Amino acid sequence: MDVKWELKILQTFLCWSFLMTIFKCRGTGYSSNTEFSYEDRVIKHLLRKYAERGKYGRPVKNYSDILNLHFGLQLVQIMNLDERKQILTLNVWTNYGWTDVHLRWNVTEFHGVKKINIPAHEIWTPDLRLYNFADERLHERRDSLCIVGHDGSVSWIPQAIFKSSCDIDVKAFPFDKQKCHLKFGSWTYDGLQLDLFFKDNKEEMDTSEFQFSNVWHVISAVGKKSKVTYTCCPEPFIDLTFSITIRRKATFYAYTLILPCVLLTSLTLILFWIPAESPAKLTLGMSIFMAYFVLLSIFQRNIPPSETSPVLGTYYCVNMVLITMSSFLCVFVVNMSVSGTRYPVHLPKTLKKVMFSYVARALCMDNVVKPFMDEGHVTCPTTSRRYMGVNGDGSKFTNDWKGSSETLITVQKESNTELAVIHTKVNEIRNFIKIYKERLEDKDRKEKIAKEWKVLALIFDRIFFIIYITTIIVSLMVVLPIIFDSDIED
């Protein structure tokens, strides 16, 4: 039995060897009456040869030969720029081109077939990698076929989504420019084995198929070839680095972050025009503070953390301080306004002279302080005359009460009872008028003191208004040129 089995195995092996010999002699391995097209025959012929040699070695004749790889990028879409994670996501078409000496055939032998498409995983492909890779996915390309020419030229254009690390500079946010780099190079082949060149000698990304972005505008996308020696290996490695410069479209942020900030800060100017006795003076100030705090929270969510502080963030902090200080200043003015009522004490002469004579004149408030420009304080005769309708020539009621007493004594001596009673009543009326005069004089004095303090508070309100409007204008003139400076420079 063992001999018979050995003879059968030997017979089978001889038959198989005979068929393989015929197959090799015929070149294509198929008879003329097969149903396969010549394109199929070329593909099967090349893949059979690749199966014999393997797909792991470089497709060159000699080991010392350098394989030239042409590489290019076509930018399709800027999918996202995550400022917080500092990751740029691009949708691109990668374009590889090289020559494989094991993928050549005679065109005439296959009836004019000059180009075929074969799967990329069936042949050798370059191990070109994105060096600044920042993706949690294992694969970044979609599978696609390779276009192979009869002379061995291979063109491979797979679609890919690259996530690369990018240093974000938010100093000029939202009018900022960001410059990101995509560094490509072979992971294992050094420059003596694999050399890189730009596709069609174009040292830039192709943007002919770029889709419009609502957030970013592409300024430039240039490439640069470099040769670097790393610590791991003594041989130099070749890489192609594409630098894409994009500018943020700031219209959306101008309406949502900058304009509300300027308007809320401008509302603080209204606080210094509201009368001190109005409750809305403090209520409006607190409302502005709360609204600005909400706006600051929105700004914080939009701005990424960075080593450099954004200029707009500094502007926000300045405005936050201005709004907070406005509340303190309003309390100060209100307290000053009611000080004259609580503590009826005249203004210090020096303070009154400086504020009423010089500051008020500089602020064009002469008409407001003019009634209070008298050097002396309120006198009793003057006040009584104003309230009792008396001028400087005389008084309807004299202050000489001695005469009235003598008259009463005289009347009493004359024993005129009725007339004495009348004079007694008149005397009581005069005493009442005297007390009432004193009260009016005291009331008038207190009112004038209170008005002086209110006018002083009004002057301080005007001073704070001028300081605030000057600060707002100056801050805008300083901040905006700094923000737009990066937009002007290349």
Side-chain angles (χ1 to χ4, degrees):
M1 292 294 294
D2 295 336
V3 176
K4 291 182 179 180
W5 279 107
E6 289 178 359
L7 290 175
K8 289 184 178 180
I9 293 173
L10 181 60
Q11 185 180 3
T12 303
F13 177 77
L14 292 175
C15 292
W16 178 255
S17 300
F18 179 76
L19 292 175
M20 290 297 296
T21 303
I22 296 175
F23 180 82
K24 290 180 180 179
C25 293
R26 295 184 62 89
T28 61
Y30 295 94
S31 60
S32 58
N33 58 355
T34 117
E35 297 180 357
F36 292 105
S37 66
Y38 286 101
E39 180 180 357
D40 295 331
R41 297 176 185 180
V42 173
I43 294 175
K44 292 186 177 296
H45 171 63
L46 296 178
L47 292 182
R48 180 182 57 80
K49 291 174 59 177
Y50 241 97
E52 292 180 0
R53 67 170 295 272
K55 59 181 180 180
Y56 300 106
R58 292 178 302 127
V60 292
K61 290 184 177 180
N62 301 315
Y63 176 77
S64 59
D65 293 342
I66 299 176
L67 180 64
N68 294 328
L69 174 63
H70 296 265
F71 179 73
L73 288 180
Q74 185 171 13
L75 182 62
V76 178
Q77 183 184 9
I78 299 176
M79 301 184 66
N80 185 31
L81 177 58
D82 193 335
E83 291 93 343
R84 291 185 174 274
K85 295 182 179 180
Q86 297 189 345
I87 296 177
L88 173 66
T89 304
L90 297 179
N91 181 10
V92 298
W93 294 350
T94 55
N95 195 336
Y96 301 82
W98 70 93
T99 300
D100 192 331
V101 297
H102 304 295
L103 294 178
R104 295 174 178 174
W105 68 89
N106 190 348
V107 177
T108 57
E109 185 177 352
F110 292 94
H111 293 262
V113 177
K114 297 181 179 180
K115 186 182 297 183
I116 60 172
N117 299 334
I118 57 178
H121 64 271
E122 297 288 347
I123 62 174
W124 179 91
T125 53
D127 62 337
L128 213 62
R129 296 291 181 266
L130 177 63
Y131 278 23
N132 52 336
F133 181 75
D135 196 352
E136 65 278 0
R137 301 170 302 166
L138 297 178
H139 300 284
E140 54 196 18
R141 290 190 299 264
R142 298 180 63 182
D143 294 334
S144 63
L145 298 177
C146 293
I147 303 173
V148 183
H150 67 92
D151 56 350
S153 61
V154 181
S155 178
W156 185 32
I157 311 177
Q159 185 183 20
I161 296 178
F162 290 119
K163 290 187 177 182
S164 61
S165 58
C166 180
D167 295 331
I168 304 298
D169 184 10
V170 295
K171 181 179 179 180
F173 177 86
F175 301 95
D176 55 331
K177 289 181 182 179
Q178 304 298 338
K179 189 173 183 179
C180 301
H181 306 280
L182 287 85
K183 183 178 179 180
F184 293 91
S186 175
W187 196 253
T188 57
Y189 294 113
D190 55 59
L192 301 178
Q193 297 174 308
L194 182 66
D195 197 0
L196 294 178
F197 298 91
F198 288 101
K199 189 72 174 179
D200 300 328
N201 295 324
K202 293 182 179 180
E203 298 183 359
E204 60 181 358
M205 286 188 186
D206 185 2
T207 57
S208 59
E209 299 293 332
F210 179 70
Q211 296 182 5
F212 177 79
S213 174
N214 294 325
V215 182
W216 299 100
H217 171 69
V218 178
I219 299 177
S220 64
V222 297
K224 180 181 179 182
K225 181 179 179 179
S226 303
K227 181 183 293 186
V228 183
T229 302
Y230 299 96
T231 57
C232 66
C233 312
E235 299 83 3
F237 282 78
I238 310 297
D239 65 77
L240 300 180
T241 302
F242 293 88
S243 300
I244 177 172
T245 304
I246 54 179
R247 181 178 58 208
R248 193 189 305 270
K249 297 180 180 180
T251 305
F252 172 77
Y253 297 96
Y255 285 117
T256 57
L257 293 179
I258 299 178
L259 184 60
C261 177
V262 176
L263 294 179
L264 283 177
T265 308
S266 302
L267 281 179
T268 56
L269 301 176
I270 302 177
L271 300 177
F272 304 114
W273 287 96
I274 299 176
E277 59 272 11
S278 176
K281 194 176 185 70
L282 296 179
T283 304
L284 180 60
M286 296 305 299
S287 300
I288 294 175
F289 179 83
M290 294 302 297
Y292 196 84
F293 185 78
V294 174
L295 183 62
L296 189 62
S297 300
I298 298 175
F299 175 76
Q300 187 272 335
R301 288 197 299 267
N302 283 274
I303 198 73
S306 177
E307 294 182 358
T308 59
S309 176
V311 179
L312 187 60
T314 305
Y315 179 68
Y316 263 69
C317 292
V318 171
N319 289 337
M320 193 72 172
V321 172
L322 290 177
I323 292 176
T324 305
M325 288 298 299
S326 67
S327 300
F328 284 101
L329 295 177
C330 287
V331 174
F332 171 75
V333 170
V334 171
N335 184 66
M336 182 183 298
S337 178
V338 300
S339 294
T341 304
R342 293 179 180 178
Y343 312 104
V345 180
H346 283 281
L347 292 175
K349 291 184 178 180
T350 305
L351 178 62
K352 181 177 179 181
K353 184 176 181 180
V354 172
M355 299 301 294
F356 284 25
S357 300
Y358 302 105
V359 179
R361 184 177 300 174
L363 298 177
C364 301
M365 299 178 67
D366 294 336
N367 295 332
V368 179
V369 301
K370 189 175 182 180
F372 305 94
M373 291 301 296
D374 55 320
E375 296 296 333
H377 297 300
V378 181
T379 59
C380 296
T382 304
T383 307
S384 63
R385 293 190 189 101
R386 190 178 65 193
Y387 280 93
M388 301 305 294
V390 181
N391 53 27
D393 297 333
S395 178
K396 183 177 180 180
F397 301 102
T398 178
N399 290 328
D400 186 10
W401 300 100
K402 183 178 179 181
S404 299
S405 302
E406 293 177 352
T407 304
L408 180 59
I409 295 172
T410 304
V411 173
Q412 290 177 350
K413 289 180 178 180
E414 294 176 356
S415 301
N416 190 343
T417 306
E418 293 181 358
L419 187 58
V421 172
I422 293 174
H423 278 280
T424 302
K425 297 296 184 182
V426 171
N427 191 25
E428 292 177 355
I429 294 173
R430 287 179 174 178
N431 290 334
F432 173 78
I433 293 175
K434 178 182 178 181
I435 296 172
Y436 186 70
K437 283 173 58 180
E438 293 176 353
R439 291 181 178 178
L440 289 179
E441 291 168 1
D442 185 66
K443 181 180 179 181
D444 188 64
R445 181 182 64 84
K446 291 181 179 180
E447 287 181 354
K448 184 173 182 180
I449 293 174
K451 289 181 180 180
E452 286 180 349
W453 282 97
K454 288 182 179 181
V455 171
L456 182 63
L458 186 61
I459 293 175
F460 273 103
D461 257 342
R462 188 66 60 85
I463 293 173
F464 296 149
F465 173 80
I466 294 176
I467 292 175
Y468 263 62
I469 194 172
T470 304
T471 305
I472 292 172
I473 295 175
V474 170
S475 62
L476 285 174
M477 294 176 63
V478 171
V479 170
L480 291 182
I482 296 177
I483 294 177
F484 283 104
D485 182 61
S486 65
D487 191 46
I488 297 175
E489 295 179 354
D490 292 333

mmCIF file of all heavy atoms in Angstrom, residues 42-60:
data_model
loop_
_atom_site.group_PDB
_atom_site.id
_atom_site.type_symbol
_atom_site.label_atom_id
_atom_site.label_comp_id
_atom_site.label_asym_id
_atom_site.label_seq_id
_atom_site.Cartn_x
_atom_site.Cartn_y
_atom_site.Cartn_z
ATOM 1 N N VAL A 42 -3.328 40.795 -17.503
ATOM 2 C CA VAL A 42 -2.195 41.591 -17.019
ATOM 3 C C VAL A 42 -2.196 41.632 -15.498
ATOM 4 O O VAL A 42 -1.155 41.455 -14.851
ATOM 5 C CB VAL A 42 -2.245 43.015 -17.610
ATOM 6 C CG1 VAL A 42 -1.161 43.876 -16.972
ATOM 7 C CG2 VAL A 42 -2.069 42.980 -19.108
ATOM 8 N N ILE A 43 -3.355 41.852 -14.929
ATOM 9 C CA ILE A 43 -3.435 41.960 -13.471
ATOM 10 C C ILE A 43 -3.020 40.651 -12.811
ATOM 11 O O ILE A 43 -2.217 40.628 -11.865
ATOM 12 C CB ILE A 43 -4.867 42.354 -13.053
ATOM 13 C CG1 ILE A 43 -5.188 43.774 -13.541
ATOM 14 C CG2 ILE A 43 -5.031 42.284 -11.529
ATOM 15 C CD1 ILE A 43 -6.609 44.208 -13.291
ATOM 16 N N LYS A 44 -3.558 39.545 -13.325
ATOM 17 C CA LYS A 44 -3.219 38.263 -12.732
ATOM 18 C C LYS A 44 -1.752 37.906 -12.948
ATOM 19 O O LYS A 44 -1.100 37.320 -12.080
ATOM 20 C CB LYS A 44 -4.135 37.174 -13.299
ATOM 21 C CG LYS A 44 -5.583 37.320 -12.854
ATOM 22 C CD LYS A 44 -6.428 36.151 -13.315
ATOM 23 C CE LYS A 44 -7.848 36.269 -12.790
ATOM 24 N NZ LYS A 44 -7.892 36.188 -11.321
ATOM 25 N N HIS A 45 -1.235 38.290 -14.101
ATOM 26 C CA HIS A 45 0.176 38.036 -14.367
ATOM 27 C C HIS A 45 1.068 38.812 -13.398
ATOM 28 O O HIS A 45 2.023 38.246 -12.832
ATOM 29 C CB HIS A 45 0.478 38.426 -15.824
ATOM 30 C CG HIS A 45 1.928 38.423 -16.161
ATOM 31 N ND1 HIS A 45 2.711 37.286 -16.124
ATOM 32 C CD2 HIS A 45 2.756 39.447 -16.540
ATOM 33 C CE1 HIS A 45 3.944 37.591 -16.458
ATOM 34 N NE2 HIS A 45 4.008 38.903 -16.725
ATOM 35 N N LEU A 46 0.747 40.101 -13.170
ATOM 36 C CA LEU A 46 1.578 40.919 -12.277
ATOM 37 C C LEU A 46 1.433 40.476 -10.830
ATOM 38 O O LEU A 46 2.422 40.418 -10.079
ATOM 39 C CB LEU A 46 1.195 42.395 -12.422
ATOM 40 C CG LEU A 46 1.459 43.022 -13.799
ATOM 41 C CD1 LEU A 46 0.979 44.462 -13.819
ATOM 42 C CD2 LEU A 46 2.943 42.956 -14.155
ATOM 43 N N LEU A 47 0.217 40.152 -10.433
ATOM 44 C CA LEU A 47 0.020 39.738 -9.044
ATOM 45 C C LEU A 47 0.675 38.391 -8.772
ATOM 46 O O LEU A 47 1.127 38.126 -7.660
ATOM 47 C CB LEU A 47 -1.479 39.685 -8.724
ATOM 48 C CG LEU A 47 -2.207 41.039 -8.709
ATOM 49 C CD1 LEU A 47 -3.671 40.853 -8.325
ATOM 50 C CD2 LEU A 47 -1.527 42.006 -7.765
ATOM 51 N N ARG A 48 0.725 37.520 -9.816
ATOM 52 C CA ARG A 48 1.399 36.241 -9.627
ATOM 53 C C ARG A 48 2.893 36.452 -9.410
ATOM 54 O O ARG A 48 3.519 35.827 -8.547
ATOM 55 C CB ARG A 48 1.159 35.339 -10.846
ATOM 56 C CG ARG A 48 1.844 33.973 -10.734
ATOM 57 C CD ARG A 48 1.604 33.179 -11.992
ATOM 58 N NE ARG A 48 2.070 33.887 -13.169
ATOM 59 C CZ ARG A 48 3.346 33.941 -13.555
ATOM 60 N NH1 ARG A 48 4.287 33.352 -12.828
ATOM 61 N NH2 ARG A 48 3.681 34.599 -14.636
ATOM 62 N N LYS A 49 3.462 37.375 -10.173
ATOM 63 C CA LYS A 49 4.867 37.691 -10.002
ATOM 64 C C LYS A 49 5.128 38.293 -8.626
ATOM 65 O O LYS A 49 6.134 37.981 -7.968
ATOM 66 C CB LYS A 49 5.325 38.653 -11.101
ATOM 67 C CG LYS A 49 5.381 38.031 -12.492
ATOM 68 C CD LYS A 49 5.709 39.076 -13.539
ATOM 69 C CE LYS A 49 7.046 39.731 -13.259
ATOM 70 N NZ LYS A 49 7.408 40.712 -14.307
ATOM 71 N N TYR A 50 4.211 39.171 -8.157
ATOM 72 C CA TYR A 50 4.359 39.787 -6.835
ATOM 73 C C TYR A 50 4.231 38.745 -5.734
ATOM 74 O O TYR A 50 4.891 38.835 -4.692
ATOM 75 C CB TYR A 50 3.329 40.913 -6.636
ATOM 76 C CG TYR A 50 3.983 42.262 -6.412
ATOM 77 C CD1 TYR A 50 4.146 43.153 -7.467
ATOM 78 C CD2 TYR A 50 4.461 42.627 -5.164
ATOM 79 C CE1 TYR A 50 4.753 44.380 -7.278
ATOM 80 C CE2 TYR A 50 5.071 43.844 -4.961
ATOM 81 C CZ TYR A 50 5.212 44.726 -6.016
ATOM 82 O OH TYR A 50 5.833 45.933 -5.822
ATOM 83 N N ALA A 51 3.344 37.763 -5.989
ATOM 84 C CA ALA A 51 3.197 36.714 -4.974
ATOM 85 C C ALA A 51 4.483 35.911 -4.836
ATOM 86 O O ALA A 51 4.812 35.425 -3.744
ATOM 87 C CB ALA A 51 2.031 35.806 -5.344
ATOM 88 N N GLU A 52 5.236 35.772 -5.924
ATOM 89 C CA GLU A 52 6.488 35.040 -5.865
ATOM 90 C C GLU A 52 7.582 35.825 -5.132
ATOM 91 O O GLU A 52 8.325 35.272 -4.327
ATOM 92 C CB GLU A 52 6.950 34.696 -7.285
ATOM 93 C CG GLU A 52 6.055 33.691 -7.990
ATOM 94 C CD GLU A 52 6.549 33.391 -9.395
ATOM 95 O OE1 GLU A 52 7.595 33.988 -9.788
ATOM 96 O OE2 GLU A 52 5.907 32.590 -10.085
ATOM 97 N N ARG A 53 7.669 37.163 -5.406
ATOM 98 C CA ARG A 53 8.744 37.961 -4.819
ATOM 99 C C ARG A 53 8.388 38.545 -3.459
ATOM 100 O O ARG A 53 9.253 38.882 -2.662
ATOM 101 C CB ARG A 53 9.145 39.099 -5.756
ATOM 102 C CG ARG A 53 8.074 40.172 -5.940
ATOM 103 C CD ARG A 53 8.634 41.389 -6.678
ATOM 104 N NE ARG A 53 9.651 42.047 -5.887
ATOM 105 C CZ ARG A 53 9.406 43.001 -4.991
ATOM 106 N NH1 ARG A 53 8.153 43.385 -4.755
ATOM 107 N NH2 ARG A 53 10.392 43.566 -4.328
ATOM 108 N N GLY A 54 7.091 38.706 -3.175
ATOM 109 C CA GLY A 54 6.681 39.354 -1.932
ATOM 110 C C GLY A 54 6.534 40.863 -2.104
ATOM 111 O O GLY A 54 7.036 41.449 -3.067
ATOM 112 N N LYS A 55 5.859 41.494 -1.167
ATOM 113 C CA LYS A 55 5.551 42.929 -1.267
ATOM 114 C C LYS A 55 6.211 43.760 -0.171
ATOM 115 O O LYS A 55 5.791 44.894 0.099
ATOM 116 C CB LYS A 55 4.033 43.146 -1.207
ATOM 117 C CG LYS A 55 3.375 42.618 0.060
ATOM 118 C CD LYS A 55 1.870 42.861 0.023
ATOM 119 C CE LYS A 55 1.210 42.336 1.304
ATOM 120 N NZ LYS A 55 -0.242 42.563 1.306
ATOM 121 N N TYR A 56 7.212 43.213 0.471
ATOM 122 C CA TYR A 56 7.811 43.918 1.602
ATOM 123 C C TYR A 56 9.115 44.618 1.234
ATOM 124 O O TYR A 56 9.523 45.565 1.907
ATOM 125 C CB TYR A 56 8.057 42.948 2.762
ATOM 126 C CG TYR A 56 6.782 42.311 3.247
ATOM 127 C CD1 TYR A 56 6.507 40.974 2.950
ATOM 128 C CD2 TYR A 56 5.855 43.042 3.961
ATOM 129 C CE1 TYR A 56 5.331 40.388 3.385
ATOM 130 C CE2 TYR A 56 4.678 42.461 4.406
ATOM 131 C CZ TYR A 56 4.418 41.134 4.110
ATOM 132 O OH TYR A 56 3.251 40.572 4.542
ATOM 133 N N GLY A 57 9.767 44.195 0.206
ATOM 134 C CA GLY A 57 10.999 44.849 -0.223
ATOM 135 C C GLY A 57 10.720 45.999 -1.161
ATOM 136 O O GLY A 57 9.712 46.037 -1.869
ATOM 137 N N ARG A 58 11.637 46.947 -1.225
ATOM 138 C CA ARG A 58 11.490 48.076 -2.143
ATOM 139 C C ARG A 58 11.525 47.584 -3.586
ATOM 140 O O ARG A 58 12.334 46.715 -3.936
ATOM 141 C CB ARG A 58 12.607 49.096 -1.918
ATOM 142 C CG ARG A 58 12.526 49.813 -0.589
ATOM 143 C CD ARG A 58 13.699 50.785 -0.422
ATOM 144 N NE ARG A 58 14.977 50.093 -0.518
ATOM 145 C CZ ARG A 58 15.959 50.442 -1.338
ATOM 146 N NH1 ARG A 58 15.802 51.476 -2.152
ATOM 147 N NH2 ARG A 58 17.103 49.764 -1.370
ATOM 148 N N PRO A 59 10.688 48.111 -4.442
ATOM 149 C CA PRO A 59 10.648 47.647 -5.839
ATOM 150 C C PRO A 59 11.763 48.264 -6.678
ATOM 151 O O PRO A 59 11.534 49.100 -7.562
ATOM 152 C CB PRO A 59 9.257 48.104 -6.305
ATOM 153 C CG PRO A 59 8.980 49.323 -5.493
ATOM 154 C CD PRO A 59 9.611 49.083 -4.155
ATOM 155 N N VAL A 60 12.988 47.880 -6.391
ATOM 156 C CA VAL A 60 14.148 48.360 -7.144
ATOM 157 C C VAL A 60 14.952 47.143 -7.605
ATOM 158 O O VAL A 60 14.833 46.045 -7.051
ATOM 159 C CB VAL A 60 15.023 49.290 -6.275
ATOM 160 C CG1 VAL A 60 14.288 50.592 -5.979
ATOM 161 C CG2 VAL A 60 15.433 48.612 -4.980
#
